[in-house]
Amino acid sequence: MKFVSFRLSNLLLLLLFASKAFYAQGYKQPPQNVMDILNAPSTPTTSVSPAHDKILLVESLRNPPISELAQPMLRLAGLRINPNTNGQHLQTYFVKLTLKNIADGRETPVNLPQGAKVISPNWSADGKYIAFGNQTPAGIELWILDTGSAKARMLKNVKVNTAFGRFDWMPDQRSLLVNLVPAKRGFAPTASGVPTEPNIQETAGKTGAVQTFQDLLKSPTDEKLFDYYATSQLALVSLDGKTKEIGLPAIFETANISPDGQHILTARIEHPYSYLYPASRFPKQVEVWDLQGKILYKLASLPLQDNLPTQGVPVGARSYGWISTEGATLVWAEALDKGDPRNKITPRDKLMKISAPFAAQPTEIVRIEQRYQGRAFGEKDGLMFFYDYNRDTQRRRMFSMNYNSPSEKPKLIFDLNTGDRYNDIGTPVTKTLPNGFSVVQQNNDDIFLTGAGASNEGDRPFLRRMNLQTLKANEIWRSGNTDFESFVALMDEAGSRFLTRKESPLDPPNIYLRSSCPQNANCETSAPQKLTSFTDPTPQLRGITKRLVKYKRGDGVDLSFTLYLPPNYKEGTRLPTVVWAYPLEFTDASTAGQVSGSTNRYTTIGGYSHLFFLLEGYAVLDNTTMPVVGDPLTVNDTFIKQIVDSARAAIDKAVELGVTDRERVGVGGHSYGAFMTANLLAHSDLFRAGIARSGAYNRTLTPFGFQSERRNFWEAKEIYGNLSPFFYADKIKEPILMIHGEADNNQGTFPIQSERLYAAIQGNGGTARLVMLPLESHGYAAKESTEHTLFEMINWFNKYVKNAAPRGKNQTAGKE
């Protein structure tokens, strides 16, 4: 009898383990209606020729198979390298190219080799050619597409190093500057598996923020592998495949040809390396070479950047590049405050320049009051635009000036809070010069501006003309309020003909040619001409409805969400609801309450989107605003209260609208949204369950700051602890699904963040599920991973939200 009992108990255990193993066995797929959307063809993306005569239609593979992620991957100095191709691991590629004539609409498919994986298509400035890479198992080939014939051909014996390099057109537009894989580099270093030395790091007296970078060097073998795969040979490659090598092989962070085609700006990475920082922080020599590889000018010898303060910049030359309209004039920025934003010094930066033959001393262009943040050059008259940024006030400014007249005071064009979308004047429209360089397009004293056109009713993109003398702006065109139309490209110098991309909730995006009356002209605007005819690949989604909903938080801050309702929704029916959000910081309530996005956009769902819950009968509150308002230094002191109050206000509004069942609401988010989700479950009882993807939950593991937090852990220990849901794992009683890529390389979101929170919840008796996706990064790419993520998300909320039993009063009080 005892024997029978022993056998029976063992059988039950075996069945139990077998059932668990069966549930976990293999990748799962979501319901068929979700699979139908995932497998639908995607709408091609478009690229307009600089000559304005053709459009390149590009089709991609929506989700590659997991076998592609399983290709060898070396994680070195912040890079992910496929040693088989000497390219980036899992580089985005396209599978089909088509050329479309703008004049007559004729489409011509491009002849590609079978199984082609096209990367980085790059127009020549005259529009006659497109250079692109083809990713093969043995390396990255360089191909040239003749846009007149739509025929593409491979340049023989050319292998491109795209792991740490690229290819760019020379100013003559008949040859390219290419980072080649060195032909005679020998075999790759190998590790014997038997250590020959310890891995050692040492520091003494240096201070600086040590962020949680990932994929760093870890050993001398890693250093050798980085040297091997990141080293490239600069070369000029002509259209007929002839190759001329330039200088010696090196690790080139920068290799930019000058507008006159005679000089190359290089930044060569050198030893000693660091095991705490990525390659961008390594020592480098910044030099100007001639086309034989001779050093003509040394701009800077930059040391290892291992002592940068939080939100600081390096000391010495940075942001170096060529002036687009000059033959060979370098411009760069230098810090005047030692790169430390805590130093109360103004001006903080200066811009410098020097011209070929680089014999004179550099001259100063301008001193910049706040932190320099970028520049652009006009077509003529020495016109330069530059930006600066004040991190204490969160304001960004734009100036214009003549860089050849340093005594001339820069003209202020705008001064805006970085969160102020409503008053954004737009971004200058650029054009490509015959030498391939980009400049701000000018029409006499006018430039053109394009922007999102944010408003209280949503985004309405625009095209404007602004006079640089008066700064008066006139609207050329703006999207309507029943569809969504965005600017694509100007087609002439006067701005009277331009391309847009138009879509609506029912119609997929298509390209249109529009015309407007020239300034001060008396004429009628003609009807827009439709240039592409992309059809709806997922008509089953047209039954989905959406609308913008605005409301207020308890403290008066304006909030909003986009309310999505499922197909065939019956008015007045209360539905299980998903709140999906991502918190953002603001300095004042007026900008925090501004609306973003548009409900007039084409409704499409892809990847592992939370919008797939609509097909399961949920309401979705998308882009639910979770503003955290306050002084930039201390805004996180009230993070928890503000996100809880925002979440409560959203639920109250959805219940008031009659669409949400208060007893069946789930919350979710990705990355910082996952951090928000865990905190909402730990500090409130508003939700029945949560989904947290690729999050960070213990802020002591990101001790030198996170998001916009500038204080380190030792300066704000209490805040770091209060904001860490890991410290409140015993309070997370609602079920939480955590999903994380095992190869997450995002700064701060190490996979251990999810693993330790799961263990903490388990140890405290909570309900949680942890799904670790093999080979996946911060976002998930593989077809199998995408399908399985949706399977997990839908099952989790179906079990704990959609089919949840009502809670008693004693279950809804306590944490708030």
Side-chain angles (χ1 to χ4, degrees):
M1 191 68 180
K2 289 181 180 178
F3 175 74
V4 173
S5 176
F6 175 79
R7 293 286 300 275
L8 182 59
S9 64
N10 275 285
L11 179 61
L12 290 172
L13 284 171
L14 286 171
L15 289 173
L16 176 64
F17 287 130
S19 66
K20 287 186 177 180
F22 177 79
Y23 183 71
Q25 184 179 12
Y27 286 98
K28 305 295 183 182
Q29 291 184 335
Q32 188 58 49
N33 59 346
V34 174
M35 290 295 296
D36 291 343
I37 303 300
L38 286 176
N39 293 327
S42 58
T43 301
T45 56
T46 57
S47 174
V48 180
S49 164
H52 302 142
D53 60 341
K54 297 180 187 295
I55 302 175
L56 179 67
L57 310 181
V58 180
E59 297 182 38
S60 60
L61 184 67
R62 267 195 162 185
N63 295 106
I66 194 71
S67 58
E68 292 198 10
L69 276 70
Q71 290 292 306
M73 178 171 66
L74 300 175
R75 301 166 73 162
L76 303 170
L79 307 178
R80 293 189 164 183
I81 299 172
N82 182 339
N84 291 345
T85 65
N86 215 121
Q88 298 175 24
H89 187 268
L90 197 65
Q91 190 163 2
T92 300
Y93 64 83
F94 308 104
V95 296
K96 185 179 179 181
L97 305 179
T98 303
L99 284 166
K100 184 180 185 70
N101 291 344
I102 290 177
D104 59 16
R106 183 168 60 93
E107 293 187 4
T108 308
V110 176
N111 62 311
L112 295 174
Q114 187 170 3
K117 297 179 179 179
V118 173
I119 63 172
S120 307
N122 186 352
W123 287 94
S124 63
D126 57 10
K128 294 184 181 300
Y129 300 98
I130 296 173
F132 64 87
N134 180 34
Q135 184 175 289
T136 75
I140 310 296
E141 303 168 343
L142 183 59
W143 284 63
I144 300 296
L145 166 60
D146 184 323
T147 61
S149 64
K151 295 188 181 301
R153 56 188 173 82
M154 181 186 71
L155 301 184
K156 295 181 180 180
N157 302 316
V158 175
K159 286 290 190 291
V160 186
N161 182 344
T162 61
F164 209 63
R166 59 184 188 179
F167 49 89
D168 287 307
W169 288 99
M170 291 286 289
D172 65 6
Q173 307 305 307
R174 295 300 178 265
S175 57
L176 297 108
L177 180 64
V178 184
N179 291 84
L180 297 176
V181 174
K184 300 177 181 179
R185 64 178 177 176
F187 295 103
T190 57
S192 66
V194 178
T196 59
E197 58 185 309
N199 303 321
I200 299 172
Q201 302 180 64
E202 182 177 348
T203 186
K206 281 193 173 183
T207 61
V210 183
Q211 289 93 344
T212 48
F213 296 113
Q214 303 202 44
D215 298 338
L216 301 177
L217 300 176
K218 296 180 179 179
S219 68
T221 299
D222 279 356
E223 294 189 49
K224 294 172 185 175
L225 287 168
F226 176 70
D227 284 339
Y228 184 84
Y229 287 105
T231 295
S232 63
Q233 172 66 61
L234 283 185
L236 296 179
V237 180
S238 62
L239 293 180
D240 60 6
K242 292 180 180 178
T243 300
K244 175 191 174 186
E245 294 185 353
I246 302 173
L248 297 175
I251 299 176
F252 294 99
E253 182 186 64
T254 300
N256 295 337
I257 193 69
S258 60
D260 65 6
Q262 300 302 310
H263 307 83
I264 306 172
L265 173 62
T266 65
R268 296 181 292 112
I269 288 177
E270 295 186 333
H271 288 261
Y273 298 156
S274 170
Y275 293 3
L276 287 177
Y277 298 96
S280 59
R281 297 280 196 95
F282 289 177
K284 56 181 72 79
Q285 300 294 329
V286 185
E287 302 157 338
V288 176
W289 291 9
D290 64 16
L291 297 187
Q292 285 69 48
K294 179 183 176 182
I295 299 173
L296 301 178
Y297 179 69
K298 182 179 288 292
L299 175 61
S301 293
L302 302 177
L304 175 69
Q305 302 298 318
D306 59 352
N307 61 346
L308 291 185
T310 299
Q311 299 178 352
V313 298
V315 175
R318 72 181 200 276
S319 301
Y320 30 79
W322 300 107
I323 293 181
S324 307
T325 53
E326 306 233 353
T329 299
L330 275 182
V331 61
W332 66 92
E334 290 183 16
L336 297 172
D337 62 356
K338 299 182 180 179
D340 192 339
R342 296 169 297 183
N343 291 332
K344 303 302 180 182
I345 295 175
T346 185
R348 288 194 177 274
D349 281 319
K350 64 180 179 179
L351 287 182
M352 305 289 292
K353 70 171 182 173
I354 189 170
S355 300
F358 312 106
Q361 290 298 309
T363 58
E364 184 177 299
I365 299 175
V366 64
R367 294 202 166 201
I368 300 172
E369 184 179 359
Q370 301 298 333
R371 181 65 69 219
Y372 166 75
Q373 241 196 6
R375 62 181 175 262
F377 295 99
E379 289 183 71
K380 53 192 176 182
D381 302 328
L383 178 63
M384 180 181 73
F385 302 92
F386 67 88
Y387 301 85
D388 74 358
Y389 166 70
N390 186 329
R391 76 161 190 164
D392 295 325
T393 62
Q394 298 287 292
R395 297 189 73 84
R396 187 170 185 254
R397 301 184 298 179
M398 178 184 181
F399 297 86
S400 68
M401 69 172 295
N402 184 335
Y403 62 80
N404 289 319
S405 301
S407 60
E408 177 184 311
K409 184 180 179 181
K411 178 181 287 188
L412 177 66
I413 294 179
F414 70 72
D415 179 355
L416 286 177
N417 187 296
T418 55
D420 188 352
R421 303 181 75 252
Y422 290 179
N423 293 300
D424 181 16
I425 70 167
T427 302
V429 176
T430 61
K431 63 180 287 187
T432 302
L433 296 176
N435 63 12
F437 280 72
S438 178
V439 293
V440 174
Q441 182 164 332
Q442 292 178 248
N443 183 33
N444 298 319
D445 287 335
D446 292 344
I447 64 170
F448 302 93
L449 301 166
T450 182
S455 74
N456 194 42
E457 300 303 320
D459 290 353
R460 292 179 57 201
F462 61 78
L463 175 65
R464 293 171 181 162
R465 178 188 290 105
M466 186 179 76
N467 185 277
L468 292 175
Q469 302 302 318
T470 65
L471 299 186
K472 182 181 178 181
N474 296 307
E475 199 162 90
I476 298 173
W477 161 87
R478 190 172 188 185
S479 175
N481 54 17
T482 59
D483 48 33
F484 182 86
E485 195 168 1
S486 56
F487 170 80
V488 174
L490 287 178
M491 299 293 282
D492 61 20
E493 296 297 316
S496 59
R497 298 174 68 247
F498 52 95
L499 298 183
T500 63
R501 181 179 289 104
K502 183 179 180 182
E503 59 190 277
S504 75
L506 300 179
D507 303 305
N510 274 288
I511 301 297
Y512 285 77
L513 175 62
R514 281 186 169 272
S515 62
S516 67
C517 293
Q519 194 172 19
N520 302 321
N522 183 18
C523 64
E524 292 186 6
T525 302
S526 60
Q529 176 187 351
K530 188 176 182 181
L531 299 183
T532 60
S533 300
F534 303 136
T535 57
D536 186 358
T538 52
Q540 61 268 51
L541 298 181
R542 290 322 117 217
I544 292 171
T545 59
K546 55 186 173 181
R547 60 185 168 116
L548 176 67
V549 176
K550 294 180 284 187
Y551 51 101
K552 288 185 180 293
R553 198 164 69 183
D555 59 1
V557 173
D558 289 322
L559 303 175
S560 65
F561 57 70
T562 298
L563 172 63
Y564 281 83
L565 294 172
N568 304 314
Y569 171 71
K570 185 178 179 181
E571 194 71 27
T573 305
R574 294 194 180 274
L575 301 175
T577 298
V578 175
V579 174
W580 202 268
Y582 189 97
L584 295 171
E585 299 90 352
F586 297 89
T587 57
D588 62 77
S590 63
T591 54
Q594 292 186 2
V595 174
S596 63
S598 172
T599 56
N600 293 325
R601 302 203 70 164
Y602 173 63
T603 302
T604 182
I605 310 177
Y608 39 89
S609 171
H610 52 282
L611 295 180
F612 278 111
F613 280 112
L614 293 163
L615 303 185
E616 291 292 303
Y618 291 77
V620 176
L621 312 188
D622 189 33
N623 194 23
T624 305
T625 53
M626 296 275 177
V628 185
V629 184
D631 181 275
L633 182 62
T634 59
V635 65
N636 280 326
D637 292 3
T638 56
F639 177 91
I640 299 297
K641 175 174 171 44
Q642 293 198 55
I643 64 168
V644 170
D645 289 351
S646 295
R648 181 186 294 109
I651 295 172
D652 288 348
K653 186 62 179 180
V655 171
E656 176 192 319
L657 293 171
V659 299
T660 290
D661 178 353
R662 190 184 295 275
E663 287 297 304
R664 295 186 295 161
V665 182
V667 63
H670 191 94
S671 193
Y672 206 53
F675 169 71
M676 172 207 71
T677 296
N679 269 311
L680 285 171
L681 297 184
H683 298 285
S684 79
D685 291 305
L686 296 168
F687 301 98
R688 300 305 301 271
I691 296 173
R693 299 189 318 226
S694 300
Y697 312 107
N698 183 348
R699 285 304 171 193
T700 68
L701 298 179
T702 57
F704 285 95
F706 55 90
Q707 279 320 86
S708 65
E709 179 59 60
R710 66 177 72 161
R711 298 166 294 184
N712 66 42
F713 167 73
W714 298 273
E715 295 169 331
K717 291 180 181 179
E718 184 178 357
I719 297 302
Y720 274 67
N722 290 344
L723 265 61
S724 297
F726 175 82
F727 287 16
Y728 296 88
D730 59 327
K731 304 296 185 183
I732 300 178
K733 299 303 182 183
E734 293 80 12
I736 182 170
L737 168 66
M738 286 176 286
I739 304 174
H740 215 122
E742 288 184 352
D744 190 335
N745 65 342
N746 183 58
Q747 185 176 314
T749 53
F750 285 93
I752 196 174
Q753 291 272 7
S754 289
E755 293 168 346
R756 299 319 300 159
L757 180 59
Y758 172 78
I761 294 172
Q762 181 187 43
N764 282 282
T767 301
R769 181 174 174 84
L770 175 63
V771 179
M772 302 298 293
L773 298 172
L775 308 174
E776 293 290 357
S777 185
H778 192 59
Y780 321 136
K783 183 177 187 293
E784 293 85 346
S785 302
T786 298
E787 293 169 356
H788 191 92
T789 295
L790 291 170
F791 166 84
E792 295 282 357
M793 290 170 56
I794 290 170
N795 279 4
W796 193 255
F797 272 5
N798 279 355
K799 180 177 181 179
Y800 291 111
V801 176
K802 187 177 187 179
N803 298 311
R807 295 181 290 189
K809 289 185 178 180
N810 62 329
Q811 292 177 287
T812 59
K815 281 188 277 188
E816 296 183 68

